[in-house]
Short mmCIF file of all heavy atoms in Angstrom, two decimals:
data_model
loop_
_atom_site.label_atom_id
_atom_site.label_comp_id
_atom_site.label_asym_id
_atom_site.label_seq_id
_atom_site.Cartn_x
_atom_site.Cartn_y
_atom_site.Cartn_z
N LEU A 1 121.64 66.28 15.35
CA LEU A 1 121.32 67.24 16.40
C LEU A 1 119.90 67.03 16.86
O LEU A 1 119.00 66.75 16.07
CB LEU A 1 121.52 68.67 15.89
CG LEU A 1 122.95 69.03 15.53
CD1 LEU A 1 123.01 70.45 15.00
CD2 LEU A 1 123.86 68.87 16.73
N ILE A 2 119.68 67.18 18.15
CA ILE A 2 118.36 66.99 18.72
C ILE A 2 117.55 68.27 18.63
O ILE A 2 118.09 69.36 18.56
CB ILE A 2 118.43 66.52 20.18
CG1 ILE A 2 119.20 67.54 21.03
CG2 ILE A 2 119.04 65.14 20.28
CD1 ILE A 2 119.15 67.27 22.49
N ARG A 3 116.26 68.10 18.63
CA ARG A 3 115.34 69.24 18.64
C ARG A 3 114.21 68.92 19.59
O ARG A 3 113.82 67.76 19.73
CB ARG A 3 114.77 69.48 17.25
CG ARG A 3 115.73 70.02 16.25
CD ARG A 3 115.00 70.35 14.96
NE ARG A 3 114.18 69.24 14.51
CZ ARG A 3 114.49 68.44 13.50
NH1 ARG A 3 115.59 68.64 12.83
NH2 ARG A 3 113.70 67.45 13.15
N SER A 4 113.68 69.93 20.17
CA SER A 4 112.50 69.75 20.99
C SER A 4 111.33 69.45 20.07
O SER A 4 111.19 70.04 19.01
CB SER A 4 112.24 71.04 21.79
OG SER A 4 111.09 70.90 22.57
N ARG A 5 110.50 68.50 20.46
CA ARG A 5 109.34 68.18 19.64
C ARG A 5 108.07 68.48 20.44
O ARG A 5 108.13 68.71 21.63
CB ARG A 5 109.38 66.73 19.17
CG ARG A 5 109.30 65.71 20.27
CD ARG A 5 109.49 64.30 19.70
NE ARG A 5 109.09 63.30 20.66
CZ ARG A 5 107.87 62.78 20.75
NH1 ARG A 5 106.92 63.17 19.95
NH2 ARG A 5 107.60 61.87 21.66
N ARG A 6 106.98 68.48 19.77
CA ARG A 6 105.69 68.77 20.40
C ARG A 6 104.85 67.49 20.38
O ARG A 6 104.16 67.21 19.41
CB ARG A 6 104.96 69.88 19.64
CG ARG A 6 105.74 71.17 19.51
CD ARG A 6 105.82 71.88 20.84
NE ARG A 6 106.59 73.11 20.67
CZ ARG A 6 107.43 73.55 21.56
NH1 ARG A 6 107.64 72.90 22.66
NH2 ARG A 6 108.10 74.67 21.36
N PRO A 7 104.91 66.70 21.47
CA PRO A 7 104.12 65.47 21.50
C PRO A 7 102.63 65.78 21.62
O PRO A 7 102.23 66.84 22.13
CB PRO A 7 104.63 64.75 22.74
CG PRO A 7 105.18 65.82 23.60
CD PRO A 7 105.67 66.91 22.69
N SER A 8 101.83 64.85 21.16
CA SER A 8 100.38 65.02 21.29
C SER A 8 99.99 64.84 22.76
O SER A 8 100.74 64.26 23.55
CB SER A 8 99.65 63.99 20.42
OG SER A 8 99.81 62.70 20.97
N PRO A 9 98.83 65.33 23.14
CA PRO A 9 98.40 65.20 24.54
C PRO A 9 98.31 63.74 25.01
O PRO A 9 98.43 63.47 26.19
CB PRO A 9 97.02 65.86 24.56
CG PRO A 9 97.03 66.79 23.40
CD PRO A 9 97.91 66.16 22.36
N GLU A 10 98.12 62.81 24.09
CA GLU A 10 97.99 61.41 24.45
C GLU A 10 99.34 60.74 24.73
O GLU A 10 99.39 59.71 25.40
CB GLU A 10 97.27 60.62 23.34
CG GLU A 10 95.83 61.05 23.11
CD GLU A 10 95.74 62.29 22.24
OE1 GLU A 10 96.62 62.53 21.38
OE2 GLU A 10 94.79 63.07 22.46
N GLU A 11 100.42 61.29 24.20
CA GLU A 11 101.73 60.68 24.39
C GLU A 11 102.20 60.86 25.83
O GLU A 11 102.04 61.91 26.43
CB GLU A 11 102.75 61.31 23.44
CG GLU A 11 102.52 60.94 21.99
CD GLU A 11 103.57 61.54 21.09
OE1 GLU A 11 104.66 60.95 20.97
OE2 GLU A 11 103.29 62.62 20.53
N GLU A 12 102.81 59.78 26.36
CA GLU A 12 103.25 59.79 27.76
C GLU A 12 104.64 60.38 27.94
O GLU A 12 105.02 60.74 29.05
CB GLU A 12 103.22 58.38 28.32
CG GLU A 12 101.80 57.86 28.47
CD GLU A 12 101.77 56.49 29.12
OE1 GLU A 12 102.78 56.09 29.72
OE2 GLU A 12 100.73 55.85 29.04
N CYS A 13 105.44 60.45 26.90
CA CYS A 13 106.78 61.02 27.04
C CYS A 13 107.08 61.93 25.85
O CYS A 13 106.26 62.10 24.98
CB CYS A 13 107.84 59.94 27.20
SG CYS A 13 107.72 58.61 26.04
N GLY A 14 108.25 62.55 25.88
CA GLY A 14 108.63 63.44 24.79
C GLY A 14 108.60 64.91 25.15
O GLY A 14 108.76 65.77 24.29
N ARG A 15 108.42 65.22 26.43
CA ARG A 15 108.34 66.62 26.86
C ARG A 15 109.58 67.12 27.58
O ARG A 15 109.64 68.25 28.02
CB ARG A 15 107.11 66.81 27.74
CG ARG A 15 105.82 66.64 26.99
CD ARG A 15 104.59 66.64 27.90
NE ARG A 15 103.40 66.42 27.11
CZ ARG A 15 103.00 65.25 26.66
NH1 ARG A 15 103.69 64.17 26.92
NH2 ARG A 15 101.90 65.14 25.94
N GLY A 16 110.59 66.27 27.70
CA GLY A 16 111.79 66.63 28.45
C GLY A 16 112.49 67.85 27.90
O GLY A 16 112.89 68.76 28.65
N LEU A 17 112.65 67.92 26.59
CA LEU A 17 113.35 69.07 26.02
C LEU A 17 112.49 70.33 26.05
O LEU A 17 113.03 71.44 26.05
CB LEU A 17 113.83 68.76 24.60
CG LEU A 17 114.93 67.71 24.54
CD1 LEU A 17 115.33 67.43 23.09
CD2 LEU A 17 116.14 68.12 25.36
N GLN A 18 111.18 70.18 26.13
CA GLN A 18 110.33 71.36 26.34
C GLN A 18 110.61 71.94 27.72
O GLN A 18 110.66 73.16 27.88
CB GLN A 18 108.85 70.99 26.22
CG GLN A 18 108.40 70.73 24.81
CD GLN A 18 106.94 70.34 24.74
OE1 GLN A 18 106.33 69.94 25.72
NE2 GLN A 18 106.36 70.47 23.56
N LEU A 19 110.80 71.07 28.72
CA LEU A 19 111.19 71.55 30.05
C LEU A 19 112.53 72.26 30.01
O LEU A 19 112.71 73.30 30.63
CB LEU A 19 111.26 70.38 31.03
CG LEU A 19 109.95 69.85 31.55
CD1 LEU A 19 110.19 68.57 32.35
CD2 LEU A 19 109.25 70.88 32.40
N VAL A 20 113.46 71.68 29.26
CA VAL A 20 114.78 72.30 29.14
C VAL A 20 114.64 73.70 28.53
O VAL A 20 115.23 74.66 29.02
CB VAL A 20 115.74 71.42 28.30
CG1 VAL A 20 117.06 72.13 28.06
CG2 VAL A 20 115.97 70.08 28.99
N GLU A 21 113.85 73.83 27.48
CA GLU A 21 113.61 75.14 26.86
C GLU A 21 113.00 76.14 27.83
O GLU A 21 113.40 77.30 27.87
CB GLU A 21 112.67 75.00 25.66
CG GLU A 21 113.32 74.54 24.40
CD GLU A 21 112.35 74.52 23.22
OE1 GLU A 21 111.40 75.33 23.19
OE2 GLU A 21 112.55 73.69 22.34
N CYS A 22 112.03 75.68 28.62
CA CYS A 22 111.31 76.58 29.53
C CYS A 22 112.16 77.02 30.72
O CYS A 22 112.04 78.16 31.17
CB CYS A 22 110.05 75.90 30.05
SG CYS A 22 108.77 75.71 28.81
N LEU A 23 112.99 76.13 31.22
CA LEU A 23 113.70 76.42 32.47
C LEU A 23 115.09 77.01 32.26
O LEU A 23 115.69 77.50 33.21
CB LEU A 23 113.83 75.14 33.31
CG LEU A 23 112.51 74.56 33.82
CD1 LEU A 23 112.77 73.24 34.54
CD2 LEU A 23 111.80 75.56 34.72
N SER A 24 115.60 76.97 31.05
CA SER A 24 116.95 77.48 30.83
C SER A 24 116.91 78.76 30.00
O SER A 24 115.98 79.00 29.24
CB SER A 24 117.81 76.42 30.12
OG SER A 24 117.29 76.11 28.85
N LYS A 25 117.95 79.58 30.19
CA LYS A 25 118.04 80.79 29.37
C LYS A 25 118.68 80.48 28.03
O LYS A 25 118.56 81.25 27.09
CB LYS A 25 118.77 81.91 30.10
CG LYS A 25 120.25 81.73 30.30
CD LYS A 25 120.84 82.95 30.97
CE LYS A 25 122.35 82.88 30.99
NZ LYS A 25 122.94 84.08 31.51
N ASP A 26 119.37 79.33 27.94
CA ASP A 26 119.97 78.88 26.69
C ASP A 26 120.26 77.40 26.83
O ASP A 26 120.51 76.91 27.94
CB ASP A 26 121.25 79.66 26.40
CG ASP A 26 121.72 79.54 24.96
OD1 ASP A 26 120.94 79.06 24.11
OD2 ASP A 26 122.86 79.94 24.69
N TRP A 27 120.23 76.67 25.73
CA TRP A 27 120.58 75.27 25.74
C TRP A 27 120.95 74.82 24.34
O TRP A 27 120.68 75.52 23.37
CB TRP A 27 119.45 74.41 26.32
CG TRP A 27 118.29 74.19 25.36
CD1 TRP A 27 117.28 75.06 25.10
CD2 TRP A 27 118.05 73.06 24.54
NE1 TRP A 27 116.43 74.54 24.18
CE2 TRP A 27 116.87 73.29 23.81
CE3 TRP A 27 118.72 71.85 24.35
CZ2 TRP A 27 116.36 72.37 22.90
CZ3 TRP A 27 118.20 70.92 23.45
CH2 TRP A 27 117.02 71.20 22.75
N GLY A 28 121.59 73.68 24.25
CA GLY A 28 121.96 73.17 22.94
C GLY A 28 122.66 71.84 23.03
O GLY A 28 122.73 71.22 24.10
N MET A 29 123.19 71.42 21.91
CA MET A 29 123.88 70.15 21.82
C MET A 29 125.09 70.32 20.93
O MET A 29 125.06 71.09 19.98
CB MET A 29 122.95 69.10 21.22
CG MET A 29 123.60 67.76 20.98
SD MET A 29 122.50 66.68 20.05
CE MET A 29 123.65 65.43 19.58
N ARG A 30 126.13 69.58 21.24
CA ARG A 30 127.31 69.53 20.39
C ARG A 30 127.86 68.12 20.43
O ARG A 30 127.57 67.35 21.34
CB ARG A 30 128.36 70.54 20.83
CG ARG A 30 128.92 70.31 22.22
CD ARG A 30 130.01 71.31 22.57
NE ARG A 30 130.38 71.24 23.96
CZ ARG A 30 131.20 70.34 24.50
NH1 ARG A 30 131.74 69.41 23.75
NH2 ARG A 30 131.49 70.35 25.79
N ARG A 31 128.63 67.80 19.42
CA ARG A 31 129.31 66.51 19.43
C ARG A 31 130.46 66.55 20.43
O ARG A 31 131.04 67.61 20.67
CB ARG A 31 129.82 66.19 18.03
CG ARG A 31 128.67 65.87 17.09
CD ARG A 31 129.16 65.50 15.71
NE ARG A 31 128.06 65.09 14.87
CZ ARG A 31 127.20 65.93 14.30
NH1 ARG A 31 127.31 67.22 14.48
NH2 ARG A 31 126.22 65.47 13.54
N ARG A 32 130.79 65.41 20.98
CA ARG A 32 131.93 65.34 21.90
C ARG A 32 133.21 65.70 21.16
O ARG A 32 133.33 65.49 19.97
CB ARG A 32 132.07 63.93 22.47
CG ARG A 32 131.00 63.60 23.48
CD ARG A 32 131.13 62.18 23.99
NE ARG A 32 132.42 61.97 24.63
CZ ARG A 32 132.92 60.76 24.83
NH1 ARG A 32 132.30 59.69 24.43
NH2 ARG A 32 134.09 60.64 25.41
N ASP A 33 134.16 66.25 21.88
CA ASP A 33 135.44 66.63 21.29
C ASP A 33 136.25 65.40 20.88
O ASP A 33 137.07 65.47 19.98
CB ASP A 33 136.27 67.45 22.28
CG ASP A 33 135.61 68.79 22.58
OD1 ASP A 33 134.85 69.29 21.73
OD2 ASP A 33 135.86 69.32 23.68
N HIS A 34 136.03 64.28 21.54
CA HIS A 34 136.79 63.07 21.25
C HIS A 34 135.83 61.87 21.28
O HIS A 34 135.05 61.73 22.19
CB HIS A 34 137.90 62.88 22.29
CG HIS A 34 137.40 62.93 23.69
ND1 HIS A 34 137.04 64.10 24.31
CD2 HIS A 34 137.15 61.95 24.58
CE1 HIS A 34 136.61 63.85 25.53
NE2 HIS A 34 136.67 62.55 25.72
N GLY A 35 135.86 61.06 20.27
CA GLY A 35 135.04 59.85 20.22
C GLY A 35 133.59 60.13 19.88
O GLY A 35 133.18 61.27 19.70
N PRO A 36 132.81 59.05 19.79
CA PRO A 36 131.38 59.21 19.47
C PRO A 36 130.61 59.77 20.66
O PRO A 36 131.08 59.74 21.79
CB PRO A 36 130.94 57.78 19.15
CG PRO A 36 131.86 56.92 19.95
CD PRO A 36 133.18 57.65 19.96
N GLY A 37 129.46 60.27 20.39
CA GLY A 37 128.59 60.77 21.45
C GLY A 37 128.35 62.25 21.34
O GLY A 37 128.78 62.92 20.40
N SER A 38 127.63 62.76 22.32
CA SER A 38 127.25 64.17 22.30
C SER A 38 127.22 64.74 23.71
O SER A 38 127.25 64.01 24.70
CB SER A 38 125.86 64.32 21.66
OG SER A 38 124.91 63.59 22.40
N VAL A 39 127.16 66.06 23.76
CA VAL A 39 127.03 66.81 25.01
C VAL A 39 125.79 67.69 24.86
O VAL A 39 125.72 68.49 23.93
CB VAL A 39 128.26 67.69 25.29
CG1 VAL A 39 128.07 68.50 26.57
CG2 VAL A 39 129.52 66.85 25.34
N VAL A 40 124.84 67.50 25.75
CA VAL A 40 123.68 68.38 25.79
C VAL A 40 123.89 69.29 26.99
O VAL A 40 124.21 68.83 28.09
CB VAL A 40 122.35 67.60 25.91
CG1 VAL A 40 121.17 68.55 25.91
CG2 VAL A 40 122.23 66.60 24.76
N TRP A 41 123.73 70.59 26.78
CA TRP A 41 124.02 71.57 27.83
C TRP A 41 122.83 72.52 28.00
O TRP A 41 122.02 72.69 27.09
CB TRP A 41 125.29 72.35 27.53
CG TRP A 41 125.26 73.05 26.19
CD1 TRP A 41 125.69 72.54 25.00
CD2 TRP A 41 124.76 74.36 25.92
NE1 TRP A 41 125.48 73.46 24.01
CE2 TRP A 41 124.91 74.59 24.54
CE3 TRP A 41 124.19 75.35 26.71
CZ2 TRP A 41 124.51 75.77 23.94
CZ3 TRP A 41 123.79 76.53 26.10
CH2 TRP A 41 123.96 76.74 24.73
N ALA A 42 122.76 73.10 29.18
CA ALA A 42 121.74 74.11 29.47
C ALA A 42 122.32 75.09 30.48
O ALA A 42 123.15 74.72 31.32
CB ALA A 42 120.47 73.46 30.03
N VAL A 43 121.88 76.33 30.39
CA VAL A 43 122.31 77.38 31.30
C VAL A 43 121.08 77.94 32.00
O VAL A 43 120.12 78.36 31.36
CB VAL A 43 123.06 78.51 30.56
CG1 VAL A 43 123.47 79.62 31.52
CG2 VAL A 43 124.27 77.95 29.82
N VAL A 44 121.12 77.92 33.33
CA VAL A 44 120.03 78.45 34.14
C VAL A 44 120.52 79.73 34.80
O VAL A 44 121.58 79.74 35.44
CB VAL A 44 119.60 77.42 35.22
CG1 VAL A 44 118.53 78.01 36.13
CG2 VAL A 44 119.12 76.14 34.57
N ALA A 45 119.76 80.80 34.63
CA ALA A 45 120.13 82.07 35.24
C ALA A 45 120.02 81.95 36.76
O ALA A 45 119.04 81.42 37.28
CB ALA A 45 119.21 83.19 34.74
#
C-alpha cells in the first residue's frame, strides 16, 4: 500500500500524494479485483 511521504525541500519530486491529500476529501488505494496491479482513488467534494 502506498503512503504519502514528506520529501525534503531539496527533492524535486515526491509531493504528488500530498496534493492528493490536500485536494480530496478522501483517498486511498486497493488491489485490483482481478490480476496484478492497484487502483488509487480520490474523491473531490
